[in-house]
Amino acid sequence: MSNQPALETPTVYVVDDDAGMLESTQWLLESVGLNVRAYSDGRKFLDALEDTKGGCVVLDVRMPGLGGLNVQEELQKRGIELPIIFVSGHADVPIVVRAFKSGAFDFIEKPFNEQLLLDSVQQALEAHQHSNNLQQGDVQTHALISTLTRRERDVFLPMAQGYISREIAEQLGVSVKTIDLYRARVMKRLGVERLPDVTGIAVTAGLIDPLNLRP
């Protein structure tokens, strides 16, 4: 029950060994209504991290023990794709390059402009939400397609590619009347009324190449 709010509300995880910086960053983010969890070192953050359906990480690069780049590496090993905004008072080029090559969302030098950080955090949250929506859409699309029977799927793919009933009937060795029946069943099962919607579902699921459709 206690984990539910974290699932619904994006969380900004702030990780910094400087107590003053940690507190001021937390206050800044909370002042604009963001849900914030603050940690004084990388290991504590990783140990406390549970479900991460929405959010981002404001992560100090240089910390005792587990540094920011090591935390980034550990998140990748776990398959956790939270956008990371690195902050550092010593942003030398090799560190910046390494961070971005490993997928950092942004890199901000301390002392940072408050609005710059707020803008970066908001952009990171929006990017992560967009990514989650796309993934959720993919899951729903595959769930829809999985409801098709084997014969309906045989009709669904060429139908989505733009083949007419006569051509599909020739491919499958059945009558045009049978194909028309299956076409109607496919559209009903997918919950669509137009042929372009059938094509869109197949493209979203990665089953057909949008560049290889019938003219």
Side-chain angles (χ1 to χ4, degrees):
M1 199 64 183
S2 61
N3 289 336
Q4 190 63 27
L7 295 178
E8 296 177 346
T9 307
T11 299
V12 182
Y13 302 91
V14 182
V15 189
D16 198 318
D17 66 303
D18 183 326
M21 181 61 70
L22 183 65
E23 183 178 355
S24 62
T25 303
Q26 181 176 5
W27 179 89
L28 172 66
L29 296 171
E30 288 180 341
S31 72
V32 294
L34 293 170
N35 182 40
V36 182
R37 293 186 185 178
Y39 302 90
S40 58
D41 68 65
R43 180 54 61 191
K44 287 181 180 178
F45 162 60
L46 291 171
D47 289 345
L49 198 58
E50 296 174 353
D51 209 313
T52 54
K53 288 192 175 180
C56 68
V57 186
V58 178
L59 182 60
D60 189 24
V61 173
R62 296 180 185 272
M63 296 182 290
L66 206 62
L69 295 174
N70 299 121
V71 172
Q72 180 187 37
E73 185 179 349
E74 181 61 30
L75 289 174
Q76 291 174 340
K77 287 179 181 177
R78 296 187 186 185
I80 297 174
E81 299 181 353
L82 288 172
I84 297 176
I85 300 167
F86 280 107
V87 292
S88 176
H90 309 279
D92 54 276
V93 173
I95 289 179
V96 175
V97 170
R98 182 179 165 190
F100 277 113
K101 277 189 174 181
S102 296
F105 184 83
D106 202 354
F107 202 113
I108 300 176
E109 289 190 69
K110 296 178 181 178
F112 48 76
N113 176 280
E114 291 185 351
Q115 192 58 51
L116 180 65
L117 178 66
L118 290 174
D119 289 345
S120 185
V121 166
Q122 192 58 49
Q123 290 165 10
L125 292 175
E126 290 173 358
H128 194 238
Q129 183 59 48
H130 180 65
S131 176
N132 281 344
N133 288 342
L134 290 178
Q135 291 173 13
Q136 184 61 30
D138 289 346
V139 170
Q140 292 172 347
T141 298
H142 283 285
L144 264 181
I145 294 172
S146 70
T147 67
L148 299 176
T149 65
R150 181 176 178 181
R151 179 57 80 180
E152 287 168 352
R153 181 183 278 258
D154 288 341
V155 173
F156 162 65
L157 286 175
M159 180 180 168
Q161 289 174 301
Y163 289 94
I164 63 175
S165 294
R166 177 178 53 77
E167 293 170 318
I168 300 173
E170 290 173 357
Q171 291 175 21
L172 300 179
V174 298
S175 70
V176 173
K177 186 176 180 181
T178 298
I179 295 301
D180 285 339
L181 175 64
Y182 274 106
R183 286 174 71 105
R185 286 171 56 176
V186 166
M187 295 184 77
K188 182 177 181 181
R189 206 178 286 271
L190 296 179
V192 299
E193 298 180 355
R194 306 181 312 122
L195 186 58
D197 294 330
V198 176
T199 301
I201 289 172
V203 170
T204 299
L207 297 176
I208 61 175
D209 183 351
L211 301 178
N212 194 30
L213 302 176
R214 291 291 297 276

